[in-house]
Amino acid sequence: MPRTSPLVLPLALAAVSLLIPRPAHACTSIGVTRGASADGSTMATYAADSHELYGALSHFPAAVHAPGETRKIIDWDKGAPLGEIPEVPRTYSVVGNMNEHQVVVGETTFGGREELVDPKGGLDYGSLMYLALQRAKTAREAVRVIADLAATHGYRSKGESLTLADPRELWLMEIIGRGPGGKGALWVARKVPDGMVTAHANMARIRTFPLRDPDTLYSPDVIAFAREKGWFTGPDEKFAFADAYGPPESGDLRTCELRVWRVFDKLAPSLKLSPDFAKKPGVYSSLPLWIKPDRTVRPQDLMALMRDHFEGTEFDLTKGVGAGPYELPYRWRPLTWKVDGKEHLNERAIATQQTGFVFVSQSREKLPGPIGGLLWFGVDDAATNVFMPIYAGLREVPKSLAVGTATLHRFSWDSAFWMFNWVANQTYARYSDMVQDVRRVQQELEGGFFERQADVEKAAAHLYASAPELGREYVAAYSTRQVEMTVARWKQLGEDLLVKYMDGNVKDEQGKVLHPPYSEGWYRRILAESPEQFAVQPGVFNPKDPKAPAAPAQAPAPATTAATAPAAPAAKPTAP
């Protein structure tokens, strides 16, 4: 009788408590090859964005499995059981989206053709990601694990774009199903050339690809299937995966591909890439699949990108009437609306208020896996959170980041996710002012992490050389301390913000209450809408105002005569 893997319970808990249904057009992922990074690390980012996602850090310990052992599969989005698959002899330790061999997987959903979804397929995209992390030592191997599992057990999700990284290579994979009853998946994967940067944001991006190249992998009938369906008719060399299986829907270029443009334009402004494709109907994206950055990329650069709201561009969300008087870079959903029958939309930036968790990863060949693998991990909105150092050697998730500490429906002071949400939601009331306070603490904490990083890793590597377990324990303990310290500091920040900005006032450093006015521009917007409503009427006398004009002198009383003078009143009798 098959035995169930001991990892079933943590996987089920992660699926049910952490990974809940997500809307379309939700996530953003960036990949940086080691030749494009400042320190020779391969890097990847991923923002898991959803209004219904509680941000936490998952963890699956390494395990050895007996012959005949099986693994229960839980739908990553819905928490529903999908069946069982055979276990492999050995699975690797996974912390978040990184395993002990420094393999990282991130994703964005591009959707694609609805008729290619197989609701009875055996594996969803989330299960495939974490199975690949537990079974693959390299990014290339992870591509094969995902493809083989989908071929064997079926694929039930919509179209997905995946970023797969290891210390040496970076891959971009796109996968979609074959429709109801169709076995396996249609997919293509490309190794990103060293020295390049790629990105994807909820739109299929792999178009044409070399057919005979060891650094390009694809399902055998990926072209033939499209021909059979009538979605492609040209020569094989002209086949474009995205055009056949993930043609963009209305608005995709504006809400999705524009985020990729922002990444490329920030990292390689010399290319002068145009965003016009996002503004003109019927114009397809002209963005390349990858670009060479103008200078090498640091983790801090990727953190800044994950916090971006199109600042300084024509799409800047801190501008316009929608931002309010305090330049709030968010527009509450829905992003699209109609007025007089005409549809309109708000921008969808990389940073968004509904992020569950977000990371920037580093995979480094010169360091042992538990030390070289590093997730700069944060929960809630990247713009107002802290990227905390989580090493691949972590043995136990800190309580504040653990699955099950709290839920979306139960606030907890012990939860990092709720601490960062609490602070972020305070900033929305007076964003341009309050975010400055947040950034000071954010920079203080992250600056300290980066300042200590080299010394921490040097000490850990020294221990690892003679006693690997001691080296792993060293970085694990360090990660836990930084998380605990950060969450405590963020709670203090939330308390300080409440006191400083209570009731719409602002207190200075001495605690004196100030009443800073709205900006002149905002006052002008108010008057433009209703020019007369707020006008002070001239000529109203205020005797308490020292600058008010003196009251006019009274006119002298008219002269009276005996004839016109009123008679004097009769004298009242005096009291006895």
Side-chain angles (χ1 to χ4, degrees), residues 123-156:
L123 296 171
D124 65 297
Y125 74 99
S127 298
L128 286 171
M129 289 167 59
Y130 285 97
L131 286 168
L133 286 169
Q134 292 175 75
R135 299 181 178 200
K137 288 185 176 182
T138 67
R140 186 187 294 258
E141 186 180 359
V143 170
R144 284 297 187 191
V145 169
I146 290 170
D148 291 347
L149 284 169
T152 303
H153 303 287
Y155 179 75
R156 66 186 292 116

Side-chain angles (χ1 to χ4, degrees), residues 62-75:
V64 175
H65 306 283
E69 198 169 322
T70 62
R71 168 70 163 272
K72 287 185 179 179
I73 301 298
I74 307 296
D75 188 292

Side-chain angles (χ1 to χ4, degrees), residues 291-529:
I291 54 102
K292 182 177 178 61
D294 287 355
R295 59 178 179 81
T296 54
V297 183
R298 306 169 303 156
Q300 296 95 317
D301 299 321
L302 295 181
M303 292 176 187
L305 280 169
M306 300 310 286
R307 289 170 169 153
D308 187 80
H309 305 106
F310 293 116
E311 286 90 347
T313 74
E314 61 187 292
F315 311 102
D316 192 340
L317 280 163
T318 66
K319 306 302 180 185
V321 67
Y326 297 113
E327 301 178 350
L328 179 65
Y330 298 116
R331 307 292 183 269
W332 311 137
R333 269 47 177 180
L335 287 181
T336 60
W337 74 95
K338 287 185 178 181
V339 174
D340 298 330
K342 185 176 180 180
E343 191 169 32
H344 304 269
L345 61 78
N346 285 317
E347 309 302 342
R348 199 304 197 181
I350 296 172
T352 183
Q353 77 278 9
Q354 78 270 15
T355 298
F357 67 85
V358 57
F359 67 74
V360 172
S361 71
Q362 288 185 270
S363 300
R364 295 166 292 175
E365 188 177 21
K366 293 182 179 180
L367 288 168
I371 303 166
L374 176 58
L375 287 180
W376 295 99
F377 186 84
V379 287
D380 194 44
D381 181 1
T384 50
N385 75 6
V386 174
F387 285 98
M388 299 171 282
I390 304 293
Y391 283 90
L394 192 72
R395 290 187 176 279
E396 183 177 355
V397 175
K399 180 183 177 182
S400 65
L401 289 177
V403 174
T405 296
T407 71
L408 281 179
H409 309 293
R410 178 169 57 85
F411 180 89
S412 171
W413 292 108
D414 297 324
S415 163
F417 179 76
W418 277 114
M419 284 302 95
F420 284 101
N421 260 280
W422 177 48
V423 169
N425 276 271
Q426 288 195 63
T427 69
Y428 300 153
R430 199 177 183 116
Y431 192 84
S432 57
D433 292 335
M434 297 177 78
V435 77
Q436 302 304 320
D437 297 272
V438 171
R439 286 173 181 161
R440 277 191 288 272
V441 182
Q442 187 183 69
Q443 292 165 7
E444 164 198 319
L445 291 168
E446 291 178 353
F449 300 151
F450 282 110
E451 185 177 344
R452 293 188 293 273
Q453 184 180 2
D455 290 339
V456 168
E457 292 171 358
K458 182 179 179 181
H462 179 75
L463 287 171
Y464 193 92
S466 57
E469 286 305 305
L470 288 179
R472 178 175 178 171
E473 288 174 4
Y474 185 88
V475 291
Y478 174 77
S479 292
T480 298
R481 290 196 305 273
Q482 305 321 298
V483 171
E484 291 172 346
M485 178 267 293
T486 298
V487 174
R489 182 66 182 89
W490 221 247
K491 184 175 185 290
Q492 180 64 56
L493 172 62
E495 295 169 353
D496 293 344
L497 291 175
L498 181 60
V499 171
K500 180 176 179 179
Y501 294 97
M502 183 179 65
D503 297 335
N505 300 320
V506 179
K507 295 186 179 75
D508 64 15
E509 293 180 357
Q510 287 72 45
K512 180 181 178 182
V513 175
L514 308 175
H515 305 288
Y518 293 115
S519 68
E520 181 180 345
W522 190 252
Y523 284 128
R524 290 186 181 277
R525 281 185 179 274
I526 294 172
L527 296 180
E529 182 176 321

